[in-house]
Amino acid sequence: MTLHPLKTLLLAGAMLLPALTAQAEPLSAEEELILLFEMEEGYYQARSEAVLDESITEESLGELALHPDWRVRSQAAILLSWRQQPELASAVYEAQSVPGREGRIHRFMVDAFREPGASPAILERMLHAPDSDVVKAALAHSLVGLSESWGEDMIGILGAARSEKLAVAAIAAFRWAEPVAGLAGLRIALERPEAKLRETAASVAAWRADGLELAAELRVALNDSDSPTRAMAARALGYLHDVEGAAALLPILDDPSADVRLHALRSLDRVAPELAARELETSRLAGEVDERVLRVQSRIRSR
Amino acid sequence: MIRVTRLGLLSLFVLPLVLGCSNRGGGNGSEPDILIVGHEAYGSVDLSEEPGIVGVPNMDDDNENGSTDWDEEEPFEGDDELVELFVTTPTGPLTESESIRLTIGGEASEVRVYDGSTIVLGEVEGPNLIEYTFDAERDPELPFLVEFRSSLSRASVRATLLDRDDEEVATHRVPLTGAPFLLNHHLQQTEMTWVVSVNFGSSGNNDQMVETYENVLGDQFEAVYGPNYGSDVWIQDEFQFGHYTAPGHRYDLVIDSIRDRGLDPWAEDTLEGDNFGVGVWGEGETVMSLDSFGNLEVSPPVTVDGVEYPFGRIYYGEGYSSGRRMVEELRDFLDEQVVQKPFDVDTGWLCVGHIDEYTTFVPDPTAPKGFRFVYAGIDEAWDAMADLDDGFQLGMYGRSPPYQGHGMPTVGSMRNNNALIAHNEDIKEDVLDPVLERFKSKLGLTEEDIVYMPSLFEEVTGCGDAALIPGMANLIVANREDATDIFLADPFFRSETTSYDGQGSDPMIAAVEAMMPSHIDFHFVDDWDVYHMGLGEVHCGTNMTRSPRDNWWEVAGHLLLEEEE
């Protein structure tokens, strides 16, 4: 039996009518901010509308700027920035970066970038503007020291970064962050699936005065599948003087990578010089061909 | 009897002319029958020895018609790169039965010899002209003109005196050599100096540095207005000055780097013109940091394993393990310049990767070789701060990293930084010590020639190393008749944050002045914001033309023979 076409249409309409007329649950203010924060296409239009939307009060934005979710508080701060300091935000948006002597490293040498209130606008530009990765890295580094929460912001940037160069810039900045954010950020980076990020984290860890707090993670990184990461982890343990981790360096003294062998031997010599000297007498370290490693071996033997 | 005598005299002079006999074969025994000579500046130099007759490559555009003069294929009024060559017969003028044949050898396509406005030897469209014969009808007072295509064009011309039967009576061969391109070193006199003047508001400016140059060098200094060139301050990196010389000739050439940043048009805007050209080697698509000319330097004159290099040796940085290299076309061009035979050293460990970041030369008349080799000294840096308390304030270093300072507000924060100590130990062991041995080997240096500039390096994450203490080895030497001035970075090893204050009590400045030649006037300039925090220093931000020294054709010909071997 087939229904008359008109009857089919009427039946379908009757079934759909409740769904069509039911009202969608309104988004919370936090959800709207996250939606805006994560928007790619159409972001600037939506942001401008939000800035002009009087239903979003400055008081509410001020509260949301303290929200535990980084995306919420960042977006709230951005909207506040455009409302309260539009000239500063514009100056940040329009500024040209200056290449350093190494052309792939840029700086912003503009007065606006030294204003603490510039942080939200810098963050917005870094996440949404169609700048090159080199410029985005410069924007990230412009945040260092600009606000009290810059370290936490850098963790958020690491999570939100869509390019490796920006992620590397964020990890590099952890070198100067206060302990909680700095160590947390490096721990997160040491767990990332991208080898370059793990390598960078291991290299940065070496430079933190409290880097020994990461000793456990760095010892694990000695077995990383990526040789540059292993090398930087080995280096870090030497720079940080991880005496308790000396034994962890032994297995990589004959690593296939010369860089790993170099840093492992050197670090072992730094934390346990007698052990290093004994290991040099073992047959597995004979036959070294890398000039740098041979120089270190020669130095240790000549002591 | 008289009639017989007159007949006898006549027979002595006229009969030989009629019969084609001559006084050749030695004449009075001390003069050659044929001799090629050049400009009077050669004096008594034997032109049959290398390099022979020399000339500046005709690569400019003297008639400003948009075409390189070499491409004109005809001499014109004002084309001042052509050199004179005379073929003489000292034992007497050519007789009617004699002739002279000129033949060209070597790189015939690299030279032209003109008789008047006609090419008679060398490069033409089609097969090169190899041989040219002329007789007594040609005025011997008229010179031939020789034109060279390029640097170190190597050819020769042989003049053969022929008798009536075209048999060789005598011959003389002279090499023809295009001038080498000579880069400048720090012992040469300064002609002109440039710095790009910039002001980034509260982010910094180089006013004090520019002011210092103006006060010291006067009209031998010119500030380039930065905003006209994208505020690109790295003027050392964009241009390398050099020159070609020959007796009575000088042609200046600036190598324009393929770096192609804001300063790229400056040489064409400011310098290009009569006897000053701009040359580019390589393509911009392949550009790397090592293509900048802070990475291309020249030593003073040295002797290496018994071989004299009167104009020094070119040296430049190679990335070695980093894989970065100077562009191949420029490396090849430099390798051809045997008079300043180049060698490379490892700069791959540096973020920027330029040889001027840790090495240079300064004049020192009291030194055995007349100069000192300035080399980065890690131990000397620690020594310079040894007597300071941990709490000694370092105003600049304590500023916020990574763009304003280093986050090290005191000597203690530097001296007790285990990573910094270890890292610099590694740099010394892996790089500085082995590279120093290479310099000693390539330049014939000994420890007596070396002064160690207090230097510490810090890692730029993901890039390489850069100066922590402003790189004072990255200096510029200005030699004038009565003075030698050196401009270098203010190390700011004190609490004060301007170069107008505190230099007199700066321990790092004191250490440098104590170890360096006493005749030099040092000017420690504020390069912190504009240069140091941008990973460069004073030398990177300065460029200079210098006066050529010596006549390469008199003192460097043996190096052309070395190349042939």
Side-chain angles (χ1 to χ4, degrees), chain B residues 183-198:
Chain B
L183 302 181
N184 299 319
H185 57 71
H186 270 178
L187 270 58
Q188 289 168 243
Q189 293 283 303
T190 299
E191 289 183 345
M192 196 63 187
T193 309
W194 293 275
V195 165
V196 177
S197 173
V198 289

Side-chain angles (χ1 to χ4, degrees), chain B residues 267-287:
Chain B
E268 284 91 342
D269 291 347
T270 310
L271 301 171
E272 191 173 31
D274 190 31
N275 292 325
F276 205 124
V278 179
V280 181
W281 279 261
E283 295 286 326
E285 288 81 19
T286 62
V287 64

Side-chain angles (χ1 to χ4, degrees), chain B residues 65 109 129 210 291 307 369 411 435 445 453 460 552 565:
Chain B
N65 66 350
S109 58
L129 298 175
V210 170
D291 293 311
V307 179
K369 297 182 173 72
V411 165
V435 169
L445 302 177
M453 184 67 82
V460 178
W552 69 270
E565 287 162 15

